[in-house]
Each structure stands twice: as C-alpha cells, then as structure tokens.
Amino acid sequence: MPLPLWWKYKNSYAIIDNLIGLKSIPDESVDMILSDPPFNQGINYDKSFDDMKSDEVYEQELRDRIREMSRVLKTGRVCIIFIGDRSLIHVLRAA
C-alpha cells in the first residue's frame, strides 16, 4: 500500500477524521499514536457533532478506531488514548 498523500514527511501528522486517515496507512508503519476521542458526555462542540450517542454506537465507533490503530502500529510501539473517567469503560469494552 503506498503512503497517503498527506504523509509527506517523516514525523508528520494530519488533522483529519482519524478513521479515514487510519484506513489510508499501511500495516505496521506507525511508531506512536495519540488519540483524544470525544468523551461522549454531552459536550456541546458544535451542531454537526453528536457527543451523546448511545453506549452501543459509541463503543462501536471506538472499536473501529482501535482495530485500525492496532493494525497500523508497529509491534512494541505505543498508543495513547486520552479519555475521561466516565468514558474509560467504553474504551476497555471496545479494546
């Protein structure tokens, strides 16, 4: 799989929907992932984003992303996920 167009330089980053970005990255090609997903606690980010989804929908969205993060991360490397205390159970269920 060729590298995506936005991946121009070593140590680069992109600000895009992470699921779209992750799907464009080759397997085992990333040294570190830092993810700060919405906490799903009803925060009013803007009208185009729903931060109060059902637990099932929220966990499925996390599961999709965690699966892709696991695929692109090199063996033995690090994935950091920022999450609120009340949302941690959803990450653990999704992992």
Side-chain angles (χ1 to χ4, degrees):
M1 170 186 283
L3 292 175
L5 294 176
W6 53 264
W7 190 323
K8 296 179 182 178
Y9 309 102
K10 185 176 181 180
N11 300 323
S12 66
Y13 66 93
I15 300 174
I16 58 175
D17 179 290
N18 61 2
L19 189 57
I20 293 169
L22 285 165
K23 287 184 177 188
S24 68
I25 298 173
D27 295 355
E28 297 187 30
S29 61
V30 175
D31 291 310
M32 187 196 86
I33 296 173
L34 174 65
S35 181
D36 188 5
F39 294 171
N40 202 44
Q41 296 177 354
I43 296 170
N44 187 14
Y45 293 103
D46 64 47
K47 294 181 187 202
S48 65
F49 183 79
D50 177 13
D51 192 51
M52 203 61 206
K53 299 174 181 173
S54 71
D55 289 349
E56 295 79 19
V57 169
Y58 184 62
E59 287 175 18
Q60 184 59 52
E61 289 179 358
L62 288 171
R63 190 174 297 112
D64 294 342
R65 284 153 177 81
I66 290 170
R67 183 179 307 115
E68 286 298 309
M69 286 187 257
S70 177
R71 180 187 65 77
V72 304
L73 199 61
K74 291 177 183 176
T75 301
R77 300 306 173 141
V78 176
C79 176
I80 300 165
I81 300 175
F82 294 147
I83 198 73
D85 293 344
R86 292 186 297 177
S87 299
L88 179 60
I89 188 65
H90 302 296
V91 172
L92 295 174
R93 286 182 190 153

